[in-house]
Amino acid sequence: MIGVDTLGVAAKLGEAADTATAIPQLADEVGLDVPTAYGVQAALVQRRLDRGERLIGLKMGLTSRAKMAQVGVDEVIWGRLTDAMRVPDGGVVDPSAYIHPRVEPEVAFLLDRLPEPGEPVGDFASAVRAVAPAIELIDSRYADFRFSLPDVIADNTSAAAFVIGPWSPVPAGLDNLGVLLEVDGRVAQVGSTAAILGDPRRALDEGIRLAGRHGVRLESGWVFLAGAATAAVPLRPGAHVRAVVEKLGTASLRASE
């Protein structure tokens, strides 16, 4: 799109994240469409790479009807993950470092190899080395956690932090595993991996296809977050959060006071 200052928009979003300060939606103001929003996302993540972070994977967003309804948009999207976003399993995060942090249970894949050029999309799942339960911490940089589709894409799909539980071999089926999100030992959300595009492996196919449109090719050793199995819940100071995925195990984090 002609006339959009992608670096300028990325700078505003980057500063909002760095200072944990919400900003108004930008898409309408600057005339941002979806393709240009991905350009802003690339510039936003490049700011992180320029200060020493490494790109270590991709994530999907809005892969469940619950999540689409929660944020008011209706298209699957993808974003980028850096090493600085990763929190050790059982680790501590500081809620004050974010604007309005929320957590959600996910399924993570570890890629074993690069997909071959021209390889059918349906065969990409054979590139997966392992699978794990995960928690994603999302934090929209927009006021009131409200945004349009171009807004959230530009904001790197609200990516903030993530935790991955123990890796295990990919089971025969991933399409209908029970999922729980617990906060302080109490069940906050109940769901199924079927909420992730019917099967988390479909999210991998979609991620590779969509990212490929923008010249991004997944790499061996990268992490791939397939998307949320339930709606997200706010992360309160002092809270202990645990995601439980049937057959895969658990992942957890704790918020400092």
Side-chain angles (χ1 to χ4, degrees):
M1 177 178 289
I2 297 174
V4 175
D5 178 9
T6 56
L7 294 179
V9 176
K12 289 182 180 180
L13 287 165
E15 184 176 355
D18 292 343
T19 62
T21 304
I23 61 174
Q25 294 183 31
L26 295 169
D28 288 344
E29 175 189 344
V30 302
L32 201 62
D33 62 8
V34 167
T36 312
Y38 276 114
V40 173
Q41 179 191 122
L44 177 64
V45 174
Q46 187 60 49
R47 286 169 54 91
R48 302 179 70 112
L49 303 183
D50 289 344
R51 63 193 187 201
E53 297 180 31
R54 292 183 300 107
L55 194 63
I56 62 168
L58 299 183
K59 57 154 288 189
M60 297 299 288
L62 310 181
T63 52
S64 74
R65 291 188 182 277
K67 193 61 185 295
M68 289 182 185
Q70 187 180 34
V71 299
V73 297
D74 58 2
E75 183 174 310
V76 175
I77 56 178
W78 64 277
R80 295 160 165 91
L81 301 173
T82 74
D83 60 330
M85 298 178 186
R86 187 162 184 173
V87 176
D89 189 17
V92 177
V93 298
D94 178 6
S96 69
Y98 308 100
I99 300 167
H100 23 220
R102 299 179 181 182
V103 287
E104 53 193 24
E106 301 216 7
V107 171
F109 293 119
L110 179 63
L111 298 186
D112 194 38
R113 63 173 176 81
L114 278 67
E116 296 295 329
E119 183 176 354
V121 170
D123 292 344
F124 283 147
S126 67
V128 174
R129 180 188 312 170
V131 64
I135 298 171
E136 186 179 8
L137 189 160
I138 56 173
D139 184 38
S140 174
R141 270 52 74 166
Y142 302 112
D144 302 319
F145 221 110
R146 297 180 64 84
F147 42 73
S148 67
L149 191 63
D151 278 315
V152 67
I153 291 170
D155 191 27
N156 195 27
T157 66
S158 303
F162 65 95
V163 172
I164 296 178
W167 294 108
S168 60
V170 182
L174 288 172
D175 58 333
N176 193 24
L177 304 181
V179 177
L180 297 177
L181 182 66
E182 299 175 350
V183 179
D184 295 331
R186 299 180 180 180
V187 176
Q189 291 284 335
V190 178
S192 166
T193 56
I196 307 172
L197 294 181
D199 186 324
R201 288 170 293 196
R202 291 179 184 163
L204 179 59
D205 287 349
E206 279 290 290
I208 292 169
R209 181 179 64 82
L210 294 173
R213 291 180 181 175
H214 298 270
V216 177
R217 192 159 171 249
L218 281 72
E219 298 184 12
S220 177
W222 272 16
V223 169
F224 184 90
L225 296 183
T230 72
V233 301
L235 179 65
R236 303 186 308 272
H240 180 265
V241 179
R242 190 172 77 133
V244 183
V245 182
E246 182 184 359
K247 295 184 180 180
L248 302 185
T250 67
S252 68
L253 64 79
R254 186 180 296 276
S256 60
E257 296 285 355

